[in-house]
Amino acid sequence: MADEHTPSTVDSVVNEDLLPFDFDKEIPRYIQKRDEAGIKPRSLGVVFRNLRVVGLGAIASYQPTLGSILNPLNIVGKIKNVRHPPIRDILSGFEGVVRPGEMILVLGRPGSGCTTLLKTLANQRKEFYSVEGDVRYDSLSPQEMSANFRGDIRYCPEDDIHFPTLTVDQTLTFAAASRTPLQRLGATRQQFAHVLTQTLLAVFGLRHAKNTPIGDAIIRGVSGGEKKRVSITEALASRSPIGVWDNSTRGLDSSTALEYVRALRLATDTFNLTTIVSFYQAGESLYKHFNKVCVIHEGRMVYFGPADKARQYFIDMGYEPANRQTTADFLVAVTDPNGRIPRAGISTQPRSSTEFADYFLKSNIGAQNRQEVDSYVAEFVGKPALAEAYKESAQAEFEGANRMKSPYLLSIPQQVRALMRRRVQIIRGNPLVTFIRLFANVFQALIMGSVFLKMPEDTANFYSRGGILFFSLLFSALTALAEIPALYSQRLIVVRHEQAALYHPFVEALALTLVDIPPTLFIVIVFTIVLYFMTGLQRTPGQFFVFLLFLFSEAVTMKSYFRALAAACKTQDAAQGIGGISVLVLAIYAGYIIPKPSMIGALRWLNYINPLRYGCAFLLRSIPRSNILQRFEALFTNEFHTIRGKCSSLVPQGPGYPNVSIENQVCTVVGSQPGQLYVDGNLFAGLSHEYYWSNAWRNFGIVITFGIGFTLALLVFTEYNTSSAFASPVILFKQGSGANKLSTPSDEESVNEKISDTTDEDEKPLKTTINSSPTADVFTWQHINYTVPIPGNEVRQLLSDVSGYVAPGKLTALMGESGAGKTTLLNVLAQRVDVGVVTGDKFVNGQALPADFQSQSGYCQQMDTHVPTATVREALLFSANLRQPKSVPLSEKEAYVEECLKMCGLERYANASVGSLSTEHKKRTTIGVELAAKPKLLLFLDEPTSGLDSQSAWAIILFLRKLADSGQAILCTIHQPSAELFQVFDRMLLLQKGGRTVYFGDLGTNAITLIDYFERQGARRCKADENPAEYMLDVIGAGATATSGENWHELWQASIESKRVQQEIETIHIEGRSRPAVEASIRTEFATPWLYQTTQLLKRDAQAHWRNPTYLMAKLILNTVGGLFIGFTFFHSKDSQQGTQNKLFSIFMATILSVPLSNQLQVPFIAMRTVYETRERPSRMYGWTALVTSQVFAAIPWNICGSTLLFLTWFWTVGYESSRAGYTYLMLGVIFPLYYTTIGQAIAAMSPSAEVAALLFSVLFSFVIIFNGVLQPFSNLGWWRWMHRLSPYTYLIEGLMGQAIGHQQVQCSAVELVTITPPSGLTCGQYMNRFISVAGGYLTNPDASSSCEFCGIHTTDQLLGRVFDISYNHHWRNVGIMIAFFFFNFACVYLFTYIFRIRRGKLLPSRSSKKP
């Protein structure tokens, strides 16, 4: 693209959205401006010799399972492979040169190595084991390019991944701003970015969508074709001398694709760019724009030379093109054993990839290629002067601080500003997460404030004040866990931008941290104001702002920690597991749950590295007159408004002690002095927790240090670990399948080599006949209109008065430019839209659609949505089992599935996991899944050839032709069909933008009927060698910038053909209504009964879990490590008061594991639900209740297994009696996982994403955990005691605690004994017996007459019952109540699924809406 623009260009070129844009005229203006300013253009070629790309062998050719991960033999093998990894050639023997001003087209079948070559030439080498040979960018080495000029080579990948909440304009403006040069012809940085953005929007016809979000599977956004154009324009905004485009026309109609190639050609010629492109389906009009072509066959270069000589080269070799076959299709077909046509009389043609490569090396064109390489090397390689000249020209664009140091044009501060602006736009585009965070904090503050409402300033609330402060910090840590899924959702986007040298990844992390500070501060302020003044904490300005300061610091610190953890881990499951352990460490070693003096020496160091410890300590000491953290037995209060707090409960007192003197009483609070009514708060904190006010600001400094340290860790991990987060996949086969193992990967598109010898029958589809009975039923639609509401506007009409029909035995194409409404019409006809208003009629034989129309029709989506761990055979059999009636024998279904595998050419891949397949085989699988259902009426297909090479596309369309010939009615959208492929269709429905009909009818032989229609309506004549599919789009003005002087929709409506179509439809209706209506073949809503659905779903879910060892290992390790950690933290707790308290907290902390465990299980729950909502629900495959049931019961066994490990590693290490292990296991090992599984899935059922689910669960957990009596004793709950009865954790902890330590004696340690001086003449026993008989406790020296050593608690029941309302006798009652909670949660999973996902008019439409 242009190197510079002037501000005036905006007004004259692209400011008027309705004006056409002429790229050809505007480019010379840019050139003139550049030359007038004296800016030197620069160019860069690429030359390579003896290029060899080596990848790791197929060490993961079998799909991993939990069994394979734990198999000792596999572990040994993996260790061996790490030491001596198997390697194989991906590419070998490549040489060639692409000069500035040249465009080269790279052709090959999927899996041949096209993407590998493009990535290698784009200098993206990290994913390969090694790249050998010599690659030079003129006189610059790959190392120099990567270090200093990475942005001068732009690789545009095949997939379109963007931030979904950003608009098109925001996405492109950011890309343009990130590559804005220093020299801009007097324009400001903003003006330059704006002009370039508007120019690109105009060139690629995106001006109408510039304010539309990009969107994704959840958020409604631009169409698929428009999203592809966004990817192209984002890459062009980089203004790179070398552009590498990987199948970048996928999803574009032929007219838009042609405009795109023309734009590349013009930019390449004008600015002397080097352009490398790979297409899978390239028409002749596209092919002629290229100077050179490179043909790849199984990783070998079989042609590299002039594009205009390639066709004749292969003809001379001994192969001939098919009738009307384009040159690009012919070149690819030659490499396909099943697609090439040998010339008659010639038998010496090369057949293997090695023979092809050797033939080329010996050919004249091969020799010319070597000569050109040698000439270019001699002229441009190894020339220091040329290298310096390029560096000077390139560095003129860099900011001064970046010259000779960085590949990024912008300085770090400029990158920070740009990324902060983008982050604000992302937040504004999706305010739901921020709103939920605010709601969660306000809700929690209100609940906590009401629970601890206006605490009296006496010793009875010491414990409560500590609890409120500790929980405030713990809540920030729990909600920060949601940062983990949030960071992973954007990871791949950051990788691509880093590869394009738009910005440092660490700057994006820094911008995220900085932009998040204001909303975090606002949320913390609201939380603090509500909580602080409701609870009655010390109301002095200094103490309030200290509380606010520390709470905010802790929130930022913990967010940085979990973000750093996500950046450090390559998988989300691993990060969630470590995050769960981290929560335990943070909570236990903050110094509240277990005071520092009680920590075992081996783990005490964790207290010093815990940021919550310093925050908690500071908050507790921020009230200088009163330190509120104390041991568990301290149930008294101390007034904090003075240095000395009066003890509210003295020993002894009550009946029998009417006139007792203070000298004969003692306060049992730690820090009390004999004979004194007051307790010094500072002394209390020092003795109980070793906290001292003198360390307060030191602790604040430590918290800040932790925050800075975690932030630096986030920046470092983001910068150096992100790029290696996503490895190239390999085809993974089911364990034990053996026979189908493919072990020689050749490309990341399908890294396993396809065995393509001439006897490979498995790659030949259509080898069998279709066993389906022909149907005479005709599907028709009349006057279909479809409007959808648009925010900021009233409505947008997507379809306008569309009529047509699909006859049995006919293959009907649905075509039009990108955004014309093809997929929308398909969804409307298939009854797959749930938003907007649809009007018009749909009939079968002129009568109402049968009730099971969706079951009698098949729908192949453009997006191949499957359960990734299922094998191809399992996916097809699952569809057959659930969509064919239960009455069909299983053996018949299995036999039909095998037929479908043969028909789709998938026999070799029958045992391969769908998620690891190439694009072609995923598409074949999608079709196979629908065929397995035996659709009777109609088969809908949305872009079945998208992303496929010409031969695969040809095979798919021929397959559809075979289906149609057998009597199947097929309606299929298609982009960029070649002339020969277009001829396969019988008729076509052509749409313009706005969903307006331009043509519907027969194509005729060689499309003569179609061509005659347009020529009679005034269109130009179709050339003899022109592709009719491209011709018709051209004449109607399809494309990004093309226009037409005729209103083709009005011409169609007024045409004879249009009236004939209406007559045909009426005739179909009249004839159809004379016959009985098509009856529903399935009388119930689904083809199979509910129990059968549930069984099949449970089997699939169980397989998905077993084949996801990362998820299972993270779950099991989290339970095991958590149990060991808690167990050894409270290792062999004694029977003292502190030991009893430690046992209580060991149980409490074990329940906290439910947070990360629930967050883990929510991810697969939502992923499986997405498959259901996207594909299986519209197909009426099974009921949502069966899905929910299967998901619950598939997750429970693994969670019980994990909790069993938790119990085994926790129970005996804490020191509980073995005689009480059975009941404890029942509660912790069985009932506890039943509870958190169902409550976690209930929250997921109402959440649109895992991030939102994590936030909501943290809120719910924090809410219910408050009332269990641990943080706020039951005796202090006041009005909220009713909630204590409703909290499930009340009964869980009571059941565990009462059974584990109930009916036991307490032996106070020496520090827990208080000394009482009895009145003169009385022994200790005589003086204290009356009090002990009423209040409990015991004396160690009852016969002494002085210094009576008194322990306030004698039995655990005394402590548990009086303070925590825990009774040993309630243990079986608690079992029953927890089981009741399980069934309640189970019901909530169904209820929330129905309300939020099934019911029309969802409560969260902005996040849960699907594209029409």
Side-chain angles (χ1 to χ4, degrees):
M1 292 303 298
D3 286 27
E4 59 290 309
H5 307 275
T6 64
S8 62
T9 311
V10 183
D11 299 326
S12 61
V13 180
V14 295
N15 201 38
E16 296 295 334
D17 288 349
L18 298 179
L19 294 179
F21 179 80
D22 194 334
F23 192 52
D24 295 354
K25 294 180 180 178
E26 293 303 326
I27 286 295
R29 296 177 58 189
Y30 300 151
I31 298 295
Q32 182 181 359
K33 294 285 186 182
R34 182 190 67 189
D35 295 340
E36 290 175 355
I39 298 177
K40 297 180 179 179
R42 69 181 188 276
S43 59
L44 197 65
V46 57
V47 61
F48 49 96
R49 286 194 293 196
N50 302 318
L51 178 63
R52 178 186 179 218
V53 180
V54 181
L56 292 174
I59 58 175
S61 58
Y62 284 111
Q63 186 172 29
T65 65
L66 183 63
S68 68
I69 291 293
L70 299 178
N71 188 331
L73 297 178
N74 289 341
I75 295 175
V76 172
K78 287 182 179 180
I79 295 174
K80 180 181 178 181
N81 287 330
V82 169
R83 296 184 59 192
H84 305 289
I87 59 176
R88 81 280 189 259
D89 286 351
I90 301 177
L91 300 177
S92 63
F94 278 66
E95 60 181 350
V97 59
V98 188
R99 296 174 178 270
E102 288 185 342
M103 290 178 61
I104 183 171
L105 177 62
V106 179
L107 296 175
R109 301 183 69 205
S112 62
C114 295
T115 295
T116 298
L117 177 62
L118 265 60
K119 285 187 174 181
T120 304
L121 298 183
N123 209 26
Q124 295 189 13
R125 305 178 168 207
K126 292 182 179 179
E127 63 188 81
F128 307 117
Y129 182 78
S130 68
V131 177
E132 302 174 4
D134 189 20
V135 180
R136 306 286 294 187
Y137 303 92
D138 289 355
S139 291
L140 298 174
S141 68
Q143 293 74 23
E144 289 177 299
M145 292 299 300
S146 179
N148 300 315
F149 309 107
R150 188 191 315 140
D152 284 357
I153 309 174
R154 182 63 192 262
Y155 173 75
C156 184
E158 182 176 0
D159 297 326
D160 306 310
I161 300 179
H162 305 277
F163 286 102
T165 60
L166 291 181
T167 66
V168 172
D169 183 72
Q170 290 168 345
T171 301
L172 299 185
T173 298
F174 173 79
S178 298
R179 296 293 298 175
T180 300
L182 183 62
Q183 297 179 349
R184 299 182 296 274
L185 296 177
T188 66
R189 196 170 285 279
Q190 291 75 18
Q191 289 172 332
F192 178 91
H194 179 71
V195 171
L196 180 55
T197 299
Q198 298 304 314
T199 302
L200 291 170
L201 288 172
V203 170
F204 288 92
L206 291 170
R207 286 184 293 189
H208 69 285
K210 68 178 183 179
N211 295 321
T212 305
I214 301 294
D216 58 9
I218 297 176
I219 300 175
R220 183 189 302 277
V222 297
S223 68
E226 290 169 338
K227 186 178 292 185
K228 172 57 68 178
R229 282 181 268 163
V230 171
S231 298
I232 294 170
T233 52
E234 183 189 48
L236 288 172
S238 299
R239 304 173 303 104
S240 304
I242 299 179
V244 182
W245 310 87
D246 191 359
N247 197 22
S248 50
T249 59
R250 188 183 75 175
L252 300 181
D253 62 273
S254 56
S255 57
T256 304
L258 180 58
E259 288 185 348
Y260 157 62
V261 173
R262 285 173 178 169
L264 285 183
R265 180 74 267 175
L266 183 59
T268 300
D269 293 339
T270 304
F271 300 110
N272 210 29
L273 305 181
T274 301
T275 303
I276 305 170
V277 182
S278 73
F279 290 154
Y280 280 160
Q281 298 179 51
E284 202 66 37
S285 58
L286 272 67
Y287 182 84
K288 68 181 182 181
H289 287 90
F290 290 89
N291 307 96
K292 294 180 178 179
V293 64
C294 174
V295 183
I296 305 176
H297 180 24
E298 294 181 359
R300 302 298 299 272
M301 188 177 76
V302 300
Y303 182 86
F304 192 104
D308 56 359
K309 296 182 180 179
R311 188 184 189 97
Q312 191 61 45
Y313 169 84
F314 285 103
I315 293 176
D316 295 341
M317 180 185 289
Y319 295 101
E320 63 181 29
N323 181 40
R324 302 193 69 173
Q325 190 174 39
T326 65
T327 301
D329 289 354
F330 171 56
L331 301 186
V332 175
V334 168
T335 67
D336 180 8
N338 302 316
R340 56 195 180 210
I341 304 174
R343 288 175 58 190
I346 301 178
S347 60
T348 59
Q349 303 98 330
R351 298 187 181 275
S352 69
S353 58
T354 302
E355 292 174 351
F356 270 98
D358 292 341
Y359 184 95
F360 174 72
L361 291 176
K362 298 174 183 177
S363 68
N364 292 332
I365 293 181
Q368 293 171 8
N369 180 53
R370 290 191 294 272
Q371 292 174 2
E372 186 180 8
V373 169
D374 294 338
S375 173
Y376 193 85
V377 168
E379 185 178 358
F380 293 100
V381 176
K383 308 295 182 183
L386 292 177
E388 289 301 318
Y390 184 85
K391 292 178 181 179
E392 290 178 6
S393 174
Q395 288 161 8
E397 292 193 352
F398 284 67
E399 288 297 321
N402 276 14
R403 298 185 181 183
M404 298 299 295
K405 296 180 181 179
S406 168
Y408 305 99
L409 290 186
L410 303 187
S411 64
I412 298 297
Q414 290 171 332
Q415 293 179 39
V416 172
R417 285 195 296 271
L419 284 161
M420 288 180 67
R421 187 182 306 111
R422 185 181 72 174
R423 179 55 55 180
V424 171
Q425 293 169 344
I426 291 172
I427 293 174
R428 287 179 176 175
N430 181 25
L432 178 64
V433 174
T434 303
F435 171 78
I436 290 178
R437 286 172 53 195
L438 177 61
F439 166 78
N441 279 267
V442 172
F443 175 79
Q444 199 62 44
L446 289 171
I447 297 300
M448 292 290 291
S450 60
V451 170
F452 298 89
L453 186 64
K454 296 192 180 299
M455 294 178 292
E457 295 182 348
D458 55 29
T459 54
N461 283 285
F462 268 28
Y463 186 86
S464 298
R465 288 178 180 268
I468 189 66
L469 296 174
F470 168 73
F471 192 82
S472 299
L473 297 174
L474 180 61
F475 181 67
S476 69
L478 291 176
T479 54
L481 268 173
E483 297 297 324
I484 292 177
L487 207 66
Y488 276 95
S489 65
Q490 67 175 39
R491 199 164 185 174
L492 188 56
I493 305 173
V494 175
V495 171
R496 293 187 173 182
H497 288 175
E498 183 263 345
Q499 292 172 344
L502 297 187
Y503 53 82
H504 283 282
F506 85 84
V507 177
E508 206 286 331
L510 179 61
L512 170 62
T513 302
L514 295 176
V515 171
D516 192 49
I517 287 177
T520 299
L521 177 60
F522 174 76
I523 291 172
V524 170
I525 289 175
V526 175
F527 178 84
T528 300
I529 291 175
V530 174
L531 179 68
Y532 199 90
F533 293 103
M534 285 187 67
T535 56
L537 297 176
Q538 299 299 298
R539 296 189 181 181
T540 66
Q543 291 165 289
F544 171 79
F545 284 108
V546 163
F547 182 91
L548 176 62
L549 174 66
F550 258 84
L551 210 56
F552 171 68
S553 301
E554 291 290 347
V556 174
T557 298
M558 295 317 303
K559 284 190 174 186
S560 293
Y561 170 74
F562 286 113
R563 287 170 183 161
L565 181 61
C569 297
K570 294 186 177 182
T571 64
Q572 184 173 336
D573 290 329
Q576 291 279 20
I578 299 174
I581 299 298
S582 301
V583 170
L584 285 180
V585 176
L586 294 169
I588 294 176
Y589 285 90
Y592 172 74
I593 287 180
I594 178 171
K596 181 181 174 182
S598 301
M599 297 176 186
I600 65 174
L603 296 176
R604 185 175 295 183
W605 60 274
L606 291 171
N607 175 255
Y608 294 101
I609 66 170
N610 188 346
L612 285 189
R613 175 248 174 148
Y614 298 99
C616 189
F618 190 92
L619 288 177
L620 294 173
R621 292 194 303 276
S622 67
I623 305 172
R625 297 172 182 250
S626 52
N627 294 315
I628 54 178
L629 187 58
Q630 64 171 21
R631 293 193 303 262
F632 213 176
E633 74 274 10
L635 303 176
F636 313 103
T637 63
N638 181 32
E639 292 188 16
F640 293 148
H641 67 283
T642 61
I643 296 177
R644 294 159 57 83
K646 184 178 180 180
C647 184
S648 61
S649 180
L650 297 172
V651 174
Q653 63 175 335
Y657 303 92
N659 300 312
V660 63
S661 171
I662 187 62
E663 285 78 11
N664 303 122
Q665 290 179 305
V666 67
C667 182
T668 57
V669 177
V670 174
S672 64
Q673 300 296 318
Q676 294 186 10
L677 286 174
Y678 299 92
V679 178
D680 187 292
N682 289 317
L683 184 60
F684 163 76
L687 291 177
S688 61
H689 294 87
E690 296 183 3
Y691 286 165
Y692 304 97
W693 172 248
S694 59
N695 296 332
W697 291 108
R698 179 208 69 177
N699 292 337
F700 178 72
I702 293 175
V703 171
I704 297 301
T705 301
F706 272 114
I708 294 174
F710 290 148
T711 303
L712 290 176
L714 167 63
L715 303 185
V716 170
F717 285 126
T718 302
E719 181 72 13
Y720 295 106
N721 190 53
T722 301
S723 61
S724 60
F726 298 90
S728 299
V730 295
I731 294 182
L732 303 176
F733 287 89
K734 181 180 177 181
Q735 291 282 337
S737 58
N740 288 336
K741 179 180 176 182
L742 301 181
S743 58
T744 313
S746 63
D747 199 353
E748 63 280 346
E749 302 155 358
S750 175
V751 287
N752 293 87
E753 173 187 70
K754 296 179 183 178
I755 300 174
S756 53
D757 53 72
T758 54
T759 63
D760 185 358
E761 296 296 328
D762 292 334
E763 287 293 319
K764 294 182 181 180
L766 316 174
K767 295 293 293 183
T768 61
T769 59
I770 291 97
N771 299 322
S772 60
S773 56
T775 177
D777 302 317
V778 183
F779 176 63
T780 61
W781 61 94
Q782 281 185 301
H783 311 300
I784 296 295
N785 293 276
Y786 180 45
T787 58
V788 295
I790 301 297
N793 301 289
E794 293 184 358
V795 293
R796 176 181 294 176
Q797 184 152 2
L798 301 182
L799 296 175
S800 177
D801 195 28
V802 182
S803 300
Y805 61 91
V806 182
K810 299 295 183 180
L811 184 57
T812 304
L814 177 55
M815 298 186 65
E817 59 186 308
S818 298
K822 302 181 297 297
T823 300
T824 301
L825 177 61
L826 217 60
N827 287 332
V828 168
L829 296 180
Q831 298 183 331
R832 287 176 173 244
V833 294
D834 53 11
V835 294
V837 178
V838 178
T839 60
D841 300 312
K842 298 186 287 288
F843 300 104
V844 174
N845 298 336
Q847 303 183 63
L849 301 182
D852 64 341
F853 174 76
Q854 289 175 301
S855 298
Q856 294 195 42
S857 59
Y859 189 105
C860 299
Q861 296 174 309
Q862 185 175 352
M863 296 176 60
D864 302 309
T865 305
H866 301 278
V867 177
T869 56
T871 67
V872 174
R873 178 179 283 112
E874 290 167 351
L876 268 64
L877 185 59
F878 181 81
S879 177
N881 283 337
L882 292 181
R883 295 174 68 180
Q884 293 184 27
K886 181 68 166 57
S887 58
V888 178
L890 178 61
S891 58
E892 182 178 330
K893 293 179 180 178
E894 291 174 340
Y896 187 71
V897 164
E898 295 303 318
E899 290 291 307
C900 290
L901 289 172
K902 294 178 182 179
M903 287 189 287
C904 297
L906 289 170
E907 282 185 295
R908 179 175 295 278
Y909 300 93
N911 290 317
S913 66
V914 179
S916 67
L917 292 177
S918 67
T919 303
E920 174 193 355
H921 290 95
K922 282 183 181 177
K923 186 65 64 179
R924 291 174 183 262
T925 301
T926 299
I927 298 175
V929 165
E930 294 303 314
L931 289 179
K934 288 189 174 180
K936 293 173 54 179
L937 289 178
L938 187 62
L939 181 62
F940 298 99
L941 298 102
D942 189 11
E943 297 294 341
T945 62
S946 181
L948 303 182
D949 69 299
S950 56
Q951 293 304 304
S952 298
W954 177 250
I956 292 294
I957 296 301
L958 280 184
F959 176 43
L960 297 180
R961 176 73 269 170
K962 187 82 171 181
L963 288 175
D965 291 343
S966 69
Q968 183 73 60
I970 298 176
L971 179 60
C972 168
T973 66
I974 189 168
H975 276 157
Q976 305 178 41
S978 63
E980 59 176 344
L981 190 147
F982 191 57
Q983 293 304 309
V984 177
F985 291 90
D986 300 295
R987 58 179 64 239
M988 180 192 66
L989 172 59
L990 180 61
L991 298 179
Q992 266 186 331
K993 281 191 182 297
R996 298 178 300 172
T997 304
V998 172
Y999 178 80
F1000 177 76
D1002 292 334
L1003 293 177
T1005 305
N1006 295 325
I1008 189 64
T1009 305
L1010 171 72
I1011 294 171
D1012 284 347
Y1013 167 78
F1014 281 106
E1015 290 180 349
R1016 280 190 286 105
Q1017 296 292 348
R1020 65 172 176 82
R1021 297 190 63 82
C1022 181
K1023 300 175 184 177
D1025 60 347
E1026 189 171 7
N1027 183 350
E1030 297 176 0
Y1031 161 77
M1032 67 178 186
L1033 292 176
D1034 181 61
V1035 298
I1036 68 172
T1041 60
T1043 57
S1044 175
E1046 303 289 344
N1047 188 325
W1048 288 99
H1049 174 60
E1050 293 181 356
L1051 290 174
W1052 166 253
Q1053 288 183 316
S1055 68
I1056 298 175
E1057 286 80 1
S1058 176
K1059 295 179 175 59
R1060 185 184 303 137
V1061 168
Q1062 296 299 329
Q1063 293 172 357
E1064 291 172 352
I1065 292 175
E1066 291 303 323
T1067 302
I1068 292 171
H1069 290 175
I1070 294 172
E1071 293 178 356
R1073 288 165 184 163
S1074 64
R1075 305 194 305 267
V1078 175
E1079 296 184 356
S1081 59
I1082 303 171
R1083 297 299 178 183
T1084 57
E1085 185 177 4
F1086 304 102
T1088 56
W1090 183 88
L1091 185 60
Y1092 185 78
Q1093 297 172 25
T1094 304
T1095 303
Q1096 293 296 315
L1097 286 164
L1098 186 59
K1099 177 182 177 182
R1100 183 179 71 171
D1101 236 334
Q1103 288 175 338
H1105 278 75
W1106 179 252
R1107 294 170 183 172
N1108 190 356
T1110 303
Y1111 166 73
L1112 293 181
M1113 288 299 294
K1115 181 188 299 292
L1116 299 179
I1117 290 174
L1118 174 57
N1119 279 281
T1120 303
V1121 175
L1124 290 172
F1125 182 78
I1126 298 171
F1128 282 105
T1129 295
F1130 302 99
F1131 185 67
H1132 285 182
S1133 296
K1134 298 179 173 55
D1135 293 330
S1136 63
Q1137 292 185 41
Q1138 182 63 56
T1140 303
Q1141 172 183 317
N1142 289 347
K1143 290 178 180 179
L1144 173 63
F1145 276 115
S1146 73
I1147 292 173
F1148 173 71
M1149 294 312 302
T1151 62
I1152 287 184
L1153 282 174
S1154 61
V1155 177
L1157 289 169
S1158 295
N1159 289 347
Q1160 279 184 335
L1161 65 88
Q1162 287 168 342
V1163 175
F1165 180 92
I1166 292 176
M1168 192 66 75
R1169 185 186 69 190
T1170 300
V1171 174
Y1172 166 72
E1173 292 180 340
T1174 304
R1175 179 173 59 84
E1176 295 172 342
R1177 178 187 177 187
S1179 299
R1180 303 270 291 273
M1181 190 176 288
Y1182 54 82
W1184 64 270
T1185 55
L1187 173 72
V1188 169
T1189 305
S1190 67
Q1191 288 192 280
V1192 173
F1193 284 103
I1196 283 176
W1198 291 111
N1199 290 328
I1200 291 178
C1201 181
S1203 292
T1204 300
L1205 294 175
L1206 170 64
F1207 169 80
L1208 294 174
T1209 55
W1210 164 83
F1211 186 82
W1212 285 280
T1213 50
V1214 174
Y1216 295 110
E1217 293 182 5
S1218 297
S1219 60
R1220 305 190 180 193
Y1223 177 90
T1224 304
Y1225 173 72
L1226 175 65
M1227 285 293 282
L1228 188 67
V1230 178
I1231 296 178
F1232 175 56
L1234 290 179
Y1235 171 78
Y1236 76 71
T1237 298
T1238 50
I1239 190 63
Q1241 292 186 335
I1243 296 299
M1246 62 186 294
S1247 304
S1249 65
E1251 179 184 1
V1252 174
L1255 280 172
L1256 291 179
F1257 187 84
S1258 297
V1259 174
L1260 179 66
F1261 174 81
S1262 303
F1263 173 67
V1264 299
I1265 204 71
I1266 293 172
F1267 304 103
N1268 64 9
V1270 177
L1271 294 175
Q1272 176 72 314
F1274 173 78
S1275 57
N1276 292 345
L1277 278 176
W1279 178 82
W1280 278 106
R1281 290 188 179 187
W1282 66 271
M1283 191 62 208
H1284 176 78
R1285 305 298 185 192
L1286 291 180
S1287 172
Y1289 286 87
T1290 296
Y1291 306 99
L1292 177 65
I1293 290 180
E1294 182 184 29
L1296 290 170
M1297 196 68 190
Q1299 173 71 15
I1301 65 173
H1303 289 0
Q1304 292 181 352
Q1305 301 293 317
V1306 174
Q1307 299 294 328
C1308 286
S1309 62
V1311 72
E1312 294 169 343
L1313 297 172
V1314 295
T1315 302
I1316 303 173
T1317 302
S1320 177
L1322 294 178
T1323 64
C1324 295
Q1326 292 170 338
Y1327 179 60
M1328 294 293 296
N1329 281 342
R1330 183 161 187 151
F1331 177 81
I1332 292 174
S1333 65
V1334 175
Y1338 69 92
L1339 291 166
T1340 62
N1341 53 346
D1343 297 329
S1345 57
S1346 63
S1347 301
C1348 303
E1349 294 182 342
F1350 174 71
C1351 177
I1353 298 177
H1354 188 46
T1355 67
T1356 55
D1357 293 334
Q1358 178 186 348
L1359 171 66
L1360 297 178
R1362 185 173 62 192
V1363 180
F1364 301 103
D1365 193 36
I1366 293 177
S1367 172
Y1368 172 86
N1369 297 322
H1370 291 163
H1371 53 285
W1372 291 116
R1373 181 204 70 173
N1374 295 329
V1375 169
I1377 292 176
M1378 287 302 298
I1379 292 176
F1381 272 113
F1382 159 70
F1383 284 109
F1384 174 77
N1385 294 340
F1386 197 6
C1388 284
V1389 183
Y1390 292 95
L1391 178 64
F1392 292 160
T1393 298
Y1394 173 76
I1395 292 176
F1396 290 91
R1397 312 304 301 186
I1398 303 301
R1399 184 179 67 93
R1400 302 300 181 186
K1402 302 177 180 63
L1403 298 182
L1404 298 174
S1406 63
R1407 292 291 298 172
S1408 59
S1409 299
K1410 296 288 185 296
K1411 296 177 184 178

